[in-house]
Amino acid sequence: MTRIFTQLTSIAAPLPLNNVDTDKILPGRFLKTISRTGLGRALFYNMRYNSTGDEQPNFILNRSPWRNAGILITFDNFGCGSSREHAPWALMDFGITCIIATSFSDIFYNNCFKNGILLITLGREECEKLMTRASTPAQANFTIDLLSQIIILDDGHNIPFTISKEKRKTLLTGQDDIETTLAYLSDIKSLEKKRPGWMPHISKDLIL
Amino acid sequence: MVNEAPRTLFRKIWDSHIVNHTLEEEQILSVDLHLINEVTSPQAFEALRLAGRTVRRPDLAIAVSDHNIPTLGRALGPTDPESRLQIDTLEKNTIEFEIPHIPLDSEWHGIIHVSGPELGLTLPGMTIVCGDSHTSTHGAFGALAFGIGTSEVEHVLATQTLRQKPALCMLIQIMGALGRGVTAKDLILAIINRIGTAGATGHVIEYAGAVIEDMDMEGRMTVCNMSTEAGARAGLIAPDATTYNYLRKKHFAPTGSLFDQAINDWQYLRSDEGANYDTIVTIDASEVAPMVTWGTTPEAVTTIEGTVPDPAREGSSTAKHQMEIALEYMGLKPGQPLAGLPIDVVFIGSCTNGRLDDLRSAAAMIKGQTVKNTVRAMVVPGSSSVKAQAESEGLQKIFMDAGFEWRESGCSMCLGMNQDQLGPNQRCASTSNRNFEGRQGPGGRTHLLSPAMAAAAAIHGMLIDIRTMP
C-alpha cells in the first residue's frame, strides 16, 4: 500500500539551489540502517548541522516557520546522484511530503511516488515566484490539491500543475503497485518462457 | 522483417521485454537479472515479509555486500555494529528467500558492477537492475541496465518485473581518436561537462563512433558507468567482437553451440540505419584532454591545463551563488590553475575505475617512484579477482613499494560508508564517480580524474598533467 496523498496545507521552505544530490539530502554514513524510519533527524545533515552537531542557525529548516515545512521548493535536477530511497524516507520522516521544482532526477522521482510524496514540476518563472513567496513567512503557506491539480496560494491565486494519470491515481488511491503488476502474472510468465537459453540461471549452490 | 520501422538498440531491448503491450504510460518490463546489495535491500525484504510475499525468481538474482564492508582486516568482518547488522541481514535474507549470495571471502567477491561482468552474468540484450545508480555500467555490453530504489527492489523481488515509462533516446557519437594520456574517464567527464548533470534526464544514452568501437570493455564500462552522472537512466553500447571476446570463458557466459547461438542473437543488437533519436550529440575525441573536476558536481570539470572558473561570469544568480558555495567548499579561488594544486589523499578504485587495466595504467605511472610524504595513497581493487590478478602481475608490489596502501575489494572511499573516509578539508585525487559535498567524508574535497592522473598526483603530491611527464 502506498501512502495516500490528496491535499496538503503547509509551510513551504525555499531551497534555491540546482542539482541538490541525494548525498546532500542524506549523507552516505546514514545509510547503515535496516529500517525506513528515523532518518528525518539526518535530513540535509551537512547543511543543517555544524561539525559539532549543533544546528546551523541560518539553514532554512532550522528557522521558524520553515522548521515545520511540509513542502519544499527548489530548482533544477533535485535528487540527482545515488539511487538511495533513504533520501525520500528522510524527507518524509522530517514531514516533507510535497516537493516543487523545475526538474527532478529520474530515480528520485520514482522513489518519491512509491512513498506517497508528491513531486510537482513547474516552469522556472513559476518556481521563482513560489520561491519568493515561500521566503516571506506571511506568504509561505500553500495548499496543494492533487484532486484538482492546483497549488492554492494565500492570496487566493491558483497555479495548475500536470502529473501522469498513473502517478496521480497511485497517490490518490494508495494502490499497491505489486498487486497491480501481479494481475499480469500469466503474461509475465509467458514472456519468461521465451528467455533465450544462453541467459544465466544462478543456482545458490554454485557460488564459490 | 522488411516492413518494420528502424529501431534503436534501446527500443529493441525494451520491446522484447515488455510484458503486455496494451498498457499505457507505465509498462511492465521483464527483468533478466537482479543484483542485490546490503544497503538498499533490507527494507525491501522486510516489506515482502510483512505482506506475506515471496521472491518470484531467486534464480535470476544474485546478492553481494559491497558498499559497507571493510577493506582492511576482512577476515575479522566489520567492526562497526551497524555495518555488521546490514551485512548479516543480507545474508539472512538470501538464506530465507533462497537467493544466491556471494560471501565476503569468496574469490567472486567484489563491487557488483565489477564482479558481475567478470563472472559473465552481464550479457548483451539482457535487462539488469540493481538498487544502485551505477548499474548503468553493464550497458557497456549492450544490456539495458539501470539503478532503482528500494521500493522498486521490492517490486522486482515480488514480480521479476519493473513498472517504467519508456525512456527517450540520446545518441552520443564520438569521432576521431583519444590522444596520448587521455582515457575513457576523461572522455566521459568531457561528455558530462558538455551536456550537464541533467543533460540526459529521461534518456538512455547510446554511445557510438570510432572511439567507442576501438575501446576495450573496461573503458566502455567506465563510460557507461558515469552515464548516471549526466542524468541518464542508462548507457548503452552495441555489442561487437570486442564484447564477444571478453565474454568467452567467463563463468556464467554460454559455451559451445549455445555461445554461437548467443552471438547470432547479439548481432541483431544494434540500432537500425535511420533509427530515430530524440537527441544527438557529437564529440570530437581529439579535443579531449586529461580532465579534473574543480567543483561539487561532475559537470564542474575542466582540463588539467585549465583554471578554476569565476562565479562573476555566471549568467544566473542561482548559478553564481552556487559556484561561490562550491569554490568555498573546495577551498579554491577563481582563476587558480588546477595543475600544481596540492593533494592530501589519493584513492584509486570504485566501480568506475577499479578494474585491472585501471590498476595497470596507474602502476605504469609510478613504477620505481615513491608517494610524496605528504600524501596518503590507497588502491582498492574493484573485485577479489582484480586483486588476485594484479598481485600475480606484480602490480601490488609496484604500488606497495611506492608507498600505496593495498586493500581488499569494495566500494570504500567512493561513497564513504565504511572507515575509508576523508577528513574535513582533505583534498583527494579520486578515480571514483561523484565529487558531491561530503561524498567521501564530511568536509572532504574530491577531484575526479583518471587512474593514471591519480597515480601521478600521488607521486608529485599535487595535480599534474601526465602528458608533461617523461
Side-chain angles (χ1 to χ4, degrees), chain A residues 187 191, chain B residues 11 14-24 27-28:
Chain A
D187 290 342
L191 186 64
Chain B
R11 202 73 219 195
W14 178 269
D15 287 349
S16 65
H17 286 82
I18 292 305
V19 159
N20 184 312
H21 288 271
T22 63
L23 288 175
E24 291 172 30
Q27 295 173 327
I28 303 175

Side-chain angles (χ1 to χ4, degrees), chain A residues 3-194:
Chain A
R3 189 183 151 278
I4 291 178
F5 186 111
T6 45
Q7 202 187 60
L8 168 71
T9 298
S10 178
I11 297 289
L15 193 68
L17 296 174
N18 292 325
N19 298 320
V20 173
D21 56 76
T22 52
D23 275 84
K24 205 171 264 169
I25 300 171
L26 191 78
R29 59 191 186 281
F30 298 106
L31 304 183
K32 293 192 273 189
T33 173
I34 58 168
S35 155
R36 289 176 198 244
T37 53
L39 291 167
R41 144 193 89 76
L43 178 72
F44 293 118
Y45 193 93
N46 295 341
M47 300 167 91
R48 213 164 126 207
Y49 304 98
N50 62 24
S51 53
T52 54
D54 297 317
E55 284 188 1
Q56 301 268 19
N58 291 332
F59 185 63
I60 194 75
L61 297 181
N62 290 334
R63 292 165 60 193
S64 182
W66 300 285
R67 189 180 282 281
N68 298 314
I71 302 167
L72 192 68
I73 308 193
T74 181
F75 288 135
D76 296 347
N77 201 26
F78 188 79
C80 60
S82 158
S83 62
R84 61 189 67 166
E85 198 164 312
H86 308 68
W89 294 336
L91 285 159
M92 183 128 106
D93 198 54
F94 179 87
I96 291 171
T97 53
C98 174
I99 307 170
I100 302 169
T102 42
S103 63
F104 297 95
S105 109
D106 282 335
I107 303 176
F108 180 80
Y109 192 83
N110 286 335
N111 284 347
C112 281
F113 280 93
K114 293 275 186 189
N115 287 282
I117 299 175
L118 171 64
L119 301 189
I120 299 175
T121 311
L122 293 179
R124 186 80 190 193
E125 207 171 303
E126 280 170 319
C127 249
E128 298 261 15
K129 212 186 298 173
L130 291 182
M131 195 71 77
T132 309
R133 289 192 74 87
S135 310
T136 315
Q139 302 177 352
N141 216 42
F142 299 177
T143 294
I144 314 289
D145 187 340
L146 180 57
L147 265 178
S148 339
Q149 294 183 221
I150 48 170
I151 302 165
I152 306 162
L153 305 178
D154 270 358
D155 63 1
H157 277 92
N158 292 345
I159 296 177
F161 63 88
T162 55
I163 180 172
S164 90
K165 267 193 298 189
E166 282 176 34
K167 291 267 186 279
R168 180 171 178 273
K169 187 177 163 201
T170 301
L171 288 199
L172 289 176
T173 62
Q175 76 179 10
D176 179 349
D177 281 348
I178 293 178
E179 203 177 299
T180 336
T181 298
L182 285 175
Y184 293 90
L185 188 58
S186 62
D187 290 342
I188 294 170
K189 285 182 173 168
S190 57
L191 186 64
E192 281 175 2
K193 286 205 184 87
K194 296 184 198 157

Side-chain angles (χ1 to χ4, degrees), chain B residues 20 81 85 127 139 179 184 194 231 244 281 289 302 315 349 356 382 423 443:
Chain B
N20 184 312
L85 178 62
T127 51
R194 167 87 166 270
Y244 312 154
V281 175
T302 185
L356 192 59

Side-chain angles (χ1 to χ4, degrees), chain B residues 309-447:
Chain B
D310 188 350
R313 301 174 89 171
E314 283 300 297
S316 81
S317 59
T318 310
K320 179 174 179 289
H321 172 60
Q322 213 148 356
M323 190 184 279
E324 285 164 353
I325 296 175
L327 294 190
E328 196 192 329
Y329 181 84
M330 291 298 292
L332 296 173
K333 299 254 178 304
Q336 193 174 347
L338 284 163
L341 196 62
I343 290 294
D344 306 306
V345 178
V346 169
F347 171 67
I348 297 177
S350 85
C351 60
T352 310
N353 280 132
R355 298 187 177 79
L356 192 59
D357 264 357
D358 300 319
L359 303 198
R360 282 179 183 149
S361 76
M365 198 55 64
I366 62 162
K367 196 168 182 178
Q369 301 184 73
T370 313
V371 172
K372 179 102 173 171
N373 58 10
T374 52
V375 174
R376 175 189 170 207
M378 62 197 284
V379 181
V380 181
S383 70
S384 297
S385 147
V386 168
K387 180 169 184 274
Q389 288 178 70
E391 286 171 357
S392 75
E393 284 183 19
L395 303 183
Q396 172 204 19
K397 189 170 180 330
I398 295 173
F399 284 116
M400 292 186 73
D401 286 351
F404 274 83
E405 296 173 36
W406 181 253
R407 300 294 189 90
E408 303 280 344
S409 58
C411 297
S412 179
M413 200 186 269
C414 174
L415 85 163
M417 269 195 81
N418 71 353
Q419 296 86 335
D420 308 338
Q421 294 192 15
L422 294 181
N425 300 340
Q426 275 195 326
R427 193 177 294 285
C428 179
S430 178
T431 68
S432 56
N433 41 57
R434 288 186 176 136
N435 51 346
F436 298 152
E437 275 182 32
R439 168 83 175 180
Q440 296 192 290
R445 295 164 169 171
T446 304
H447 295 275

